[in-house]
Amino acid sequence: MNFLSAVRSALRALAANTLRSILTMLGIIIGVAAVITMIAVGRGATERVQEQMKGLGSNIMLVLPGGATAGGVRQGAQTRSRLTEEDATAIAKEVLEVQVAAPSSRTTGQVVANNGNWGTTIFGTTNDYLEAREWPLASGRLFEEGEIAGSAKVALIGQTVAQELFGDVDPIDQVVRVKNVPVTIVGVLGRKGQNSMGQDQDDTILIPISTFRNRVQGGTPGNVKRVWSISVKVREGQSMKVAEENIRELMRQRFKVQPGADDTFTIRNLTEILQAQEESSRIMTLLLAAVAGISLIIGGIGIMNIMLVSVTERTREIGLRMAVGARGKDILTQFLVEAVTLSLIGGAMGVLLGAVATWAVGSFAGWQVSMTAASVLLAAGFSGFVGVFFGYYPARRASRLLPIQALRYE
């Protein structure tokens, strides 16, 4: 018996018991579909984190104020605003691993343009903030040095604000009122998308930090240049850990923190946080695929069971084939091809079901999914392996039957 004859014989045997074949394939179908869907969901989560890392920028750290203490109770991070613009300047100059250190402050408020208005996040910062975030301009220009130093009434706006206030009209050189302060738009930021918290990063307006301090906030007592945070970008190739330790040492000196005392500021390594999330997503993908793979193993056990039943039912047929000259390897090939065919047909149907399930998860659940050819080939290949692995024992048992005993079997 050649291979094509074995395939035709396998298809005839499966067609003779259609319902039983479908029920046997059900485990393979569900297993393949589950593997494809789970991998797609896991990859989608990983890609989402990677997009967030790209949106955040590379080698980023955030220096935040520490927590105030009242009545012996610590109030939490950022309840004590001690950071200043001078701290950012010192970090940029004295920590060799640092490329830029951008001070920034923020608030929320209405931005009014012509007959439209929009509530958004207002950032006061410098051009270094865009360099740290790797945030290019879609159009226009950056702030000039004189504008940053002189509290100029200029602004950069995000894509969401531009769309909400101006629609398809070019916003460059348009005047908007930020908390009743008229500012001229000199640039539009490139699109960033959502951050790790699901917030729209494009829903923002940036003004020079001096403008924010002197015009929006109305100045600070004693002319102290307080800031909400400092965004630090570490030079490419430099150790984030070394840079973090050097920044911590510098800030403790500036804040006059005694040896052994807790820091009065917080340093967050955002890149490490997102990398940890990405690694967690990868591990979750593997776990989901492993759990889904159990369905394939169960399907394989079903194939072995039904093939053993088939060998028993067709014992006389096996004896007859051997009596007319079939060899043991011909019988082995026949039943092994039958098991693999059963598994591959189930795998093909599982791929279709997996594609539909992946689409449904992305469309109705709103999750980000990513179905790749590699995951399809993996699931289909594994289903074929299941057919070989679980079909070999019944096929081998059939091939070792004695012709006389098989012909006498009732």
Side-chain angles (χ1 to χ4, degrees):
M1 176 182 288
N2 58 35
F3 181 73
L4 291 178
S5 298
V7 172
R8 286 195 295 267
S9 176
L11 292 176
R12 284 196 299 268
L14 296 179
N17 298 279
T18 306
L19 181 59
R20 187 172 73 179
S21 299
I22 293 175
L23 293 176
T24 303
M25 290 188 294
L26 195 59
I28 298 294
I29 294 171
I30 295 174
V32 170
V35 168
I36 291 175
T37 305
M38 292 302 97
I39 291 179
V41 170
R43 282 184 58 86
T46 301
E47 290 179 1
R48 181 179 176 83
V49 175
Q50 290 173 344
E51 290 173 3
Q52 291 170 354
M53 291 179 68
K54 291 179 181 178
L56 176 65
S58 59
N59 302 339
I60 292 293
M61 285 188 288
L62 201 62
V63 183
L64 299 168
T69 301
V73 178
R74 301 185 68 182
Q75 303 299 308
Q78 304 177 38
T79 52
R80 183 196 305 173
S81 182
R82 292 192 57 184
L83 294 177
T84 65
E85 293 178 39
E86 287 77 12
D87 293 326
T89 302
I91 291 173
K93 288 184 177 181
E94 299 183 33
V95 181
L96 299 180
E97 294 82 7
V98 171
Q99 181 173 329
V100 292
S104 63
S105 294
R106 73 176 184 180
T107 187
T108 57
Q110 293 296 120
V111 179
V112 181
N114 300 325
N115 295 325
N117 69 89
W118 181 251
T120 187
T121 303
I122 305 163
F123 270 91
T125 188
T126 65
N127 293 330
D128 288 340
Y129 179 78
L130 300 181
E131 183 178 351
R133 295 287 309 279
E134 297 180 4
W135 202 342
L137 292 180
S139 61
R141 63 173 177 84
L142 297 173
F143 300 136
E144 297 176 353
E145 290 298 325
E147 293 172 339
I148 297 175
S151 304
K153 299 177 183 179
V154 292
L156 308 173
I157 63 173
Q159 294 281 338
T160 300
V161 178
Q163 181 63 37
E164 294 294 337
L165 292 182
F166 301 103
D168 296 330
V169 178
D170 186 5
I172 300 298
D173 294 330
Q174 299 283 345
V175 176
V176 299
R177 299 185 69 83
V178 179
K179 287 199 169 183
N180 295 322
V181 178
V183 297
T184 302
I185 299 172
V186 297
V188 179
L189 301 169
R191 189 170 297 280
K192 271 285 188 178
Q194 293 184 343
N195 61 15
S196 58
M197 302 298 293
Q199 298 171 335
D200 184 3
Q201 297 180 92
D202 300 311
D203 189 2
T204 186
I205 181 167
L206 273 58
I207 60 178
I209 193 165
S210 57
T211 307
F212 183 95
R213 181 178 65 252
N214 298 323
R215 298 184 186 275
V216 174
Q217 284 191 323
T220 55
N223 200 30
V224 178
K225 298 178 180 179
R226 301 288 191 196
V227 296
W228 175 77
S229 67
I230 300 173
S231 300
V232 179
K233 180 178 177 63
V234 177
R235 297 182 190 277
E236 195 68 32
Q238 298 293 328
S239 169
M240 293 285 288
K241 187 64 65 177
V242 172
E244 182 177 345
E245 290 302 319
N246 289 340
I247 292 171
R248 175 171 284 105
E249 182 179 352
L250 174 63
M251 295 301 293
R252 287 178 66 90
Q253 291 175 0
R254 293 184 62 84
F255 285 176
K256 297 180 174 57
V257 180
Q258 297 299 318
D262 293 337
D263 294 338
T264 56
F265 55 90
T266 302
I267 301 177
R268 293 182 181 173
N269 190 331
L270 303 184
T271 304
E272 285 188 357
I273 293 173
L274 289 180
Q275 286 175 343
Q277 291 180 356
E278 183 181 16
E279 185 62 26
S280 297
S281 298
R282 288 200 188 100
I283 294 173
M284 185 59 65
T285 301
L286 293 176
L287 289 176
L288 291 174
V291 171
I294 295 175
S295 299
L296 278 174
I297 296 175
I298 294 173
I301 295 173
I303 289 176
M304 177 184 285
N305 178 57
I306 208 66
M307 291 305 299
L308 287 171
V309 171
S310 180
V311 168
T312 302
E313 290 178 344
R314 295 158 62 187
T315 300
R316 288 180 62 83
E317 175 192 333
I318 295 169
L320 183 59
R321 286 180 181 275
M322 288 183 170
V324 297
R327 295 167 297 177
K329 69 175 185 179
D330 296 324
I331 302 299
L332 176 69
T333 301
Q334 175 189 351
F335 280 89
L336 191 58
V337 168
E338 187 173 324
V340 172
T341 302
L342 191 68
S343 183
L344 289 179
I345 293 175
M349 297 174 67
V351 168
L352 294 177
L353 180 60
V356 172
T358 299
W359 171 81
V361 169
S363 300
F364 297 108
W367 296 356
Q368 182 170 333
V369 293
S370 177
M371 181 176 171
T372 63
S375 64
V376 172
L377 292 175
L378 174 65
F382 191 54
S383 69
F385 171 77
V386 165
V388 173
F389 183 81
F390 288 97
Y392 180 76
Y393 174 73
R396 183 171 178 271
R397 180 173 177 178
S399 69
R400 300 183 68 177
L401 289 174
L402 297 176
I404 298 299
Q405 293 179 352
L407 288 171
R408 295 174 58 189
Y409 184 80
E410 293 294 338

